[in-house]
Each structure stands twice: as C-alpha cells, then as structure tokens.
Amino acid sequence: MTRTRCDRTPAWTALKTAFDSTGRAFDLRAAFASGAGRFEAFSQSAPHVFADLSKNLIDSATEQLLLDLARQTGVEQHRDAMFAGENINTTEQRAVMHWLLRTPPADPSMPAQSVHRHMAETLHEVHRTLDAMLAYAQTVRSDEGITDVVNIGIGGSDLGPQMAVLALDEFVQSGKRFHFVSNVDGHELARVLERVKPASTLFLIASKTFTTIETMTNARSARRWFEANGGTDIARHFAALTTNVAAARAFGIRTTFGFWDWVGGRYSVWSAIGLPLAIAIGPQAFREFLGGAHEMDEHFRTAPLARNLPVRLGLLDVWYRNFHGFTSRSIAPYHSALRRLPAYLQQLEMESNGKRVDAQGEALPYGTAAVLWGEPGTNGQHAYFQMLHQGTDVVPVEFVAVKKPKHDLAGHHRLLLANGLAQAQALMVGKVDAGGHRHFPGNRPSTFLLLDELTPASLGALIALQEHRVFVSGAVWGINSFDQWGVELGKLLATDIEPRLASGDVSGLDGSTAGLLQRLRAP
C-alpha cells in the first residue's frame, strides 16, 4: 500500500495556514463563551470510555482539516491493512495482529466477522493457546500451596501485566501475592526473594526468545536461590512464557505458553504475557478484559472518522506536536490503582512513535512522539502541577477518572473527582493577578477520559483506545510504529563493556566512558 506522508498533503498546508490565522491565538474561554454546544461537539462516548475533548485548542474547522489529513495520509487504508493481516511492520516484514488476541472465536451464525477467512486457522490457534493458559491459571488459583507469583520479564513483558494487576486489584484473588521483577539491578530481585519461600512461590519467566539478557540473568539467579533454599521441583515452581520451548526445557521448565511474531512486546498483555493477570483475576475476568478491548477494536475499525475516538485523539496529538510545537503530554490518572498507567503509556507511545525516519527510511523534517510522563492525582498536584499551571511550557494534560469507587470511605471519592475537575478547569480558565506571582495564564489544554467503573472490560477498552490512538498518529507521520531498533545499540555496547569492567581494558573507548569505567574499578 502506497502511503502519502503528512507534510506532502494539501491538508498539511491548509493546517499550517489555519494555525497561523486562528490556531496560534485560539482561546478556550472565548470558544466556550461563543459556542453553547462546544461540550457536545467535542465530547463523545466509545466502548466503556467517555471522552471530553472540549478543553482542547481546537475548533470544528481545524478538526475537519485534521480529518482531511487522516484521509489524505491513508489512515483508513492503513487501519484496514492491519485488520487484514498485511505486513504493515515493513522493516521486519511482519503483520501487526495483537487485536486478533482479543477477537472472539469465529461464529458461523455471525456473517459480519471482523476477522478475514484466511485468519480462521490462526484465530483457532490463538484460542487454543488462550484456553490452555486460562486452564493453567485456574489450576494455580486453586493451588493453596502457591501464595506468591513472581513475574520475571522486562519491557512489555513487565509493564503491561504489572500495570493491569495493580489496576484490577479489587478483582485479585485473596491469598495470593504478585511480584514483578524487571531490572537487572540485583536489588530488585533480592528484595522480592526476601519476601517469598521456595515451597510456595511460582516464577513466571517471560521472554519470547528466552534469551533476553536482563530476564535470563534474573531467572538464573531465581533458580539458584530456589535450589539453594531447599526448592526441589523446578517443573512445578517455574513456568515460561516463550516461543523457545527447547531453551525453557533445558532450564528445567516443562510448562510453557507461546505467542507469535506478530505480537509486539508493548502489545503483548493480551497474549500469554498476560498470565500473571489471568492468575490474579481469573479466567472469566481475563476474558472480559479481552472483550472490552475487542469492543474498542470494533469501534476503531467501523466508526466514521469524525466520531472515532482513537482517530480524534491521534489527530489531536499531531495538531499539538507539529503545529503548536508542544513536546510532551502529562498523564494524570485520578485513581490510585492506575498509578502505573503513565509508565505503561510511555513505552506504548514513545517506543512506537519515537522515530526519526519515515517508513521508507527517509529523515523526517517534523517531530513525532511527544514525551509522556505523569503521576496519579492528587499526588501530581503537589509535585509538578505548578509547572503545568504557571510554567513557560504548555503541556497538554490527559486526565483519567472513574465515576464509581470500589470502596465505601465517605467523602473520599467525591473529593478526588472534585480535584480532577478543578484542575482541568483551572488550567483552562486561569486567574488574573496584576502582581504576577499569582497570575495563572489559563488557556492550557486538557482531555478528560471518564470510565464508569474500573473493571476488566473498561481497562481493556482504555488500553486498546491508547493503542489505536498511537497507530493513528504514527500513520499520519508515515512511520513504522511497530519496530524498535532504537533499543538495540545500547544493548550491543553493553556486551562489550561488561567484560571490560572485569579486565580494565579501555582500549578503543571514548575518554568519558574510559574514565567512568576506571573510576568504577578503583578501590
């Protein structure tokens, strides 16, 4: 499929003109004052998520131009190619089909299936693996002798399941504790091992190739600890989430669950990598998690662009990054269970769209992924919101709130929601103060995402929404959102430096690296 890069479209030129004429000086307060229907025009419902986009620096004319940009860059065709199983990951010649992991089994009574006929066999394999994984998860849940589950993985093999287990804590089975080890820094693993016992611990080793250096270093250390402290049945106390069954068997593992090369790490929580979550919340709730994501897939696949929430969010990201020049976005989840959501979204967006060349390898003359960062509310209010309100940089904020709490502590949730609404309002309206120090300029944009409840289904929908939003902005920018070559060079150089730390050899190193290495070796 031929793709037209955004800066080579008529819509891009029209957007530059629109920004210069009205966008640069756009004022939210004036927009609300002059448009009684602004909230209705710039808010919408999608599966399990309500989105208020009305506090963003955009009007209907600009959104129409952005929709033109999506059409002219082939966003719809690129989306359809993904759902058709085409190799849209062109640098690795792979399909991108994480969405298939949450597609229900083909039902002959339903003629309008989103999955194409030639994928039927793959879908059958997906569900065979899912059924086996969930059966194992139930076995672990029923085993009262297992009290602790330790997931050892890194990147997408850690961030996704860890974020989801924390987010769905209210659904987690009592009597089991969940731990996540990702960093090769031994302090992390050592702290977890201090809290568990070999006889009651299950280790999950999550590595597609079973060669990831951080994961395998931690796995081997965990096995040594297990054996040194009386552990005798590695086959019972270790399982692997990998496609390298032979390497897992050589390690002593007999229980393995695989996945496919069309599943990228940051999109893998729906696969066997989600086993910690399945053990935590149970098979039925895990299926609900997949179901919520599938509902959002169908919304993205079928909704008209103008009422397609992932499309609207992705285009807004392009508007801010390439026309307003905003370089970051703050994620503010007003729910403590979503405290790892910012870290999860960092990988999802920055590893996907942090690219400097287009899909043909040509250097880009415009910016791509924004820097994502954040903390849960109300903690962030007492940390970095000072900069959001009065700093020299404008940072769009994305609030995520949940209507119904899972606790019965009087007054807490109402106060939490009041703070979230107030912060979004304050960013927009500001406050005039002639003295300067207490002046709030206002007109600072935000998006408000609202879930009715935090459930497996709504969390699945929220994650899928963010995945597709990243897809849209990447498609507009003309990049490959599904490779990650930028993580390779540092890992390669680390394999050269590690033996030098033992030998002291600094030949061929730059002066800074050599100096630091010598200082680290000094008594």
Side-chain angles (χ1 to χ4, degrees), residues 14-188:
L15 281 162
K16 290 172 68 176
T17 301
F19 178 74
D20 290 337
S21 61
T22 59
R24 192 190 309 276
F26 185 85
D27 190 279
L28 281 165
R29 294 154 295 198
F32 272 98
S34 62
R38 182 172 175 82
F39 176 75
E40 289 73 20
F42 288 98
S43 62
Q44 75 164 93
S45 293
H48 300 281
V49 181
F50 176 82
D52 174 20
L53 311 181
S54 64
K55 293 191 186 75
N56 282 288
L57 303 174
I58 192 170
D59 57 19
S60 296
T62 300
E63 187 167 49
Q64 285 304 313
L65 290 174
L66 287 167
L67 292 169
D68 290 342
L69 181 67
R71 296 183 185 99
Q72 292 172 19
T73 53
V75 168
E76 292 164 295
Q77 292 85 349
H78 198 50
R79 175 200 63 193
D80 294 346
M82 178 180 72
F83 283 109
E86 295 181 21
N87 289 351
I88 65 168
N89 177 354
T90 52
T91 61
E92 298 176 297
Q93 284 303 303
R94 291 174 180 171
V96 174
M97 296 201 299
H98 51 275
W99 54 271
L100 193 67
L101 298 169
R102 55 233 192 184
T103 299
D107 183 349
S109 67
M110 296 177 63
Q113 285 287 336
S114 64
V115 61
H116 292 238
R117 287 183 181 274
H118 69 274
M119 293 186 200
E121 185 176 334
T122 303
L123 182 60
H124 179 70
E125 185 181 348
V126 164
H127 279 276
R128 189 167 59 243
T129 301
L130 174 64
D131 291 344
M133 183 192 84
L134 293 182
Y136 178 75
Q138 186 56 48
T139 299
V140 175
R141 285 169 62 82
S142 302
D143 188 344
E144 295 182 358
I146 298 296
T147 60
D148 291 270
V149 177
V150 179
N151 188 80
I152 297 178
I154 197 166
S157 299
D158 167 76
L159 287 165
Q162 181 182 172
M163 178 275 294
V165 168
L166 290 172
L168 298 176
D169 181 66
E170 290 294 329
F171 297 84
V172 172
Q173 179 184 19
S174 59
K176 295 218 185 324
R177 299 180 299 176
F178 293 83
H179 315 268
F180 292 86
V181 175
S182 58
N183 203 325
V184 75
D185 181 352
H187 294 94
E188 185 169 83

Side-chain angles (χ1 to χ4, degrees), residues 217-232:
T217 298
N218 282 323
R220 286 189 288 269
S221 293
R223 184 179 60 182
R224 283 193 296 270
W225 169 87
F226 178 81
E227 293 172 333
N229 287 273
T232 57

Side-chain angles (χ1 to χ4, degrees), residues 256-318:
T256 61
F257 300 97
F259 44 107
W260 299 265
D261 65 2
W262 41 259
V263 182
R266 54 192 175 275
Y267 300 92
S268 64
V269 70
W270 322 102
S271 71
I273 294 297
L275 179 58
L277 179 63
I279 296 171
I281 66 176
Q284 180 56 40
F286 190 82
R287 291 186 188 276
E288 293 169 7
F289 175 66
L290 299 178
H294 177 67
E295 289 180 72
M296 189 61 74
D297 292 340
E298 288 300 285
H299 169 75
F300 177 52
R301 190 179 68 85
T302 64
L305 293 189
R307 300 301 294 173
N308 192 310
L309 186 55
V311 170
R312 297 179 83 182
L313 288 172
L315 293 176
L316 192 60
D317 295 340
V318 172

Side-chain angles (χ1 to χ4, degrees), residues 212-492:
T212 308
I213 189 165
E214 297 95 337
T215 299
M216 296 316 301
T217 298
N218 282 323
R220 286 189 288 269
S221 293
R223 184 179 60 182
R224 283 193 296 270
W225 169 87
F226 178 81
E227 293 172 333
N229 287 273
T232 57
D233 191 351
I234 289 177
R236 178 173 183 257
H237 290 275
F238 285 76
L241 316 177
T242 183
T243 56
N244 192 346
V245 176
R249 289 187 70 85
F251 189 91
I253 292 174
R254 296 297 177 266
T255 302
T256 61
F257 300 97
F259 44 107
W260 299 265
D261 65 2
W262 41 259
V263 182
R266 54 192 175 275
Y267 300 92
S268 64
V269 70
W270 322 102
S271 71
I273 294 297
L275 179 58
L277 179 63
I279 296 171
I281 66 176
Q284 180 56 40
F286 190 82
R287 291 186 188 276
E288 293 169 7
F289 175 66
L290 299 178
H294 177 67
E295 289 180 72
M296 189 61 74
D297 292 340
E298 288 300 285
H299 169 75
F300 177 52
R301 190 179 68 85
T302 64
L305 293 189
R307 300 301 294 173
N308 192 310
L309 186 55
V311 170
R312 297 179 83 182
L313 288 172
L315 293 176
L316 192 60
D317 295 340
V318 172
W319 175 240
Y320 283 156
R321 184 71 180 93
N322 300 121
F323 297 92
H324 282 274
F326 302 153
T327 58
S328 77
R329 181 168 79 251
S330 181
I331 309 299
Y334 273 67
H335 197 300
S336 65
L338 293 172
R339 58 190 175 275
R340 289 295 288 169
L341 181 64
Y344 174 78
L345 295 180
Q346 280 180 339
Q347 186 198 21
L348 176 62
E349 182 146 345
M350 295 163 70
E351 193 170 80
S352 295
N353 287 349
K355 310 291 170 58
R356 57 173 295 276
V357 299
D358 64 19
Q360 286 69 48
E362 184 178 341
L364 295 171
Y366 48 81
T368 54
V371 175
L372 264 67
W373 53 281
E375 275 288 316
T378 58
N379 296 13
Q381 294 175 201
H382 296 269
Y384 61 82
F385 270 52
Q386 162 65 41
M387 189 196 82
L388 297 180
H389 286 288
Q390 291 186 311
T392 55
D393 290 316
V394 175
V395 179
V397 181
E398 190 155 293
F399 295 90
V400 184
V402 179
K403 181 179 177 180
K404 299 174 185 177
K406 293 290 186 182
H407 64 78
D408 57 4
L409 298 174
H412 282 253
H413 200 63
R414 184 172 60 199
L415 183 59
L416 176 70
L417 293 177
N419 271 272
L421 290 172
Q423 290 298 324
Q425 182 186 29
L427 285 165
M428 179 181 73
V429 301
K431 178 185 175 184
V432 176
D433 177 64
H437 293 290
R438 297 185 180 181
H439 177 75
F440 291 70
N443 203 39
R444 302 207 162 184
S446 67
T447 295
F448 210 101
L449 302 180
L450 181 61
L451 311 182
D452 194 52
E453 295 183 84
L454 184 54
T455 65
S458 67
L459 180 66
L462 178 65
I463 297 171
L465 169 66
Q466 299 290 350
E467 289 178 348
H468 296 318
R469 169 223 205 119
V470 168
F471 177 96
V472 169
S473 56
V476 170
W477 286 323
I479 61 179
N480 181 0
S481 298
F482 301 101
D483 60 13
Q484 53 281 327
W485 300 107
V487 306
E488 298 297 327
L489 180 58
K491 292 194 296 185
L492 178 65

